[in-house]
Amino acid sequence: MEVDTPYDLEQYVGKPLGCSDWIEIDQARIDDFARVSGDDNWIHVDVERARRELPDGKTIAHGMLTLSLVTHLGATICRVRERARGVNYGSNKVRFTAPVQCGARIRLHRTLERYEPIEGGARLTFGNRVEIEGRERPAMVAETISVMYAKGK
């Protein structure tokens, strides 16, 4: 989906914006996130121990890794051509409802829940659901907020 300016998004409140392509969560991505976040809990990084002690014998991605991918995946769903910049404003609610095992593929389903005009742009509240391929229960549901500014503002 593409719109010209952040203001054009107002007409999509309450509507699904679409879903992203699938991405695979491999061990390299999990290890990289562990390295930069400092969260090196064995359930994420110890492949041998996970093989012995975890269901299905696979490591589990960090919930915060899943949340961090919402920005990237969301950008593939909706493009605003005439925007100056966008910033993460926060989250109202985040729930990690199912583990993402190493090797799983996930994708984002996104809805625009709220549109608030601000000087030079808009504050956008998104409903996000991260689906795990082949699983009924989503990995994560979250309400996130972004501020997007129009060019020249």
Side-chain angles (χ1 to χ4, degrees):
M1 173 182 141
E2 285 190 1
V3 296
D4 289 327
T5 72
Y7 309 114
D8 297 327
L9 290 169
E10 186 172 17
Q11 65 186 311
Y12 295 98
V13 172
K15 298 177 183 172
L17 300 177
C19 75
S20 70
D21 289 336
W22 294 102
I23 63 166
E24 183 177 342
I25 305 301
D26 61 13
Q27 192 62 48
R29 187 183 299 262
I30 294 169
D31 290 344
D32 287 346
F33 191 84
R35 198 170 13 269
V36 298
S37 69
D39 181 354
D40 61 355
N41 186 310
W42 73 267
I43 66 172
H44 306 305
V45 298
D46 191 332
V47 174
E48 290 306 314
R49 186 171 176 186
R51 193 171 287 131
R52 292 188 313 270
E53 298 182 34
L54 290 179
D56 299 324
K58 298 177 181 179
T59 58
I60 298 169
H62 307 73
M64 297 305 287
L65 168 57
T66 303
L67 178 61
S68 74
L69 290 169
V70 166
T71 300
H72 164 70
L73 296 172
T76 69
I77 293 171
C78 179
R79 180 172 172 260
V80 179
R81 289 184 288 270
E82 300 292 322
R83 80 176 217 168
R85 66 190 179 285
V87 294
N88 178 353
Y89 194 74
S91 301
N92 288 335
K93 184 177 181 181
V94 178
R95 297 290 182 267
F96 303 109
T97 54
V100 177
Q101 294 177 320
C102 181
R105 293 190 341 147
I106 63 171
R107 68 179 174 182
L108 174 67
H109 296 263
R110 182 168 253 194
T111 301
L112 181 59
E113 300 293 333
R114 231 174 353 274
Y115 173 97
E116 301 169 78
I118 60 167
E119 186 175 334
R123 185 176 307 120
L124 308 164
T125 302
F126 296 102
N128 303 282
R129 181 174 52 86
V130 176
E131 173 186 8
I132 305 169
E133 187 175 37
R135 301 283 172 101
E136 189 171 321
R137 174 174 247 164
M140 184 196 78
V141 290
E143 187 176 86
T144 59
I145 309 164
S146 298
V147 174
M148 192 178 297
Y149 295 95
K151 281 190 176 178
K153 302 293 177 184

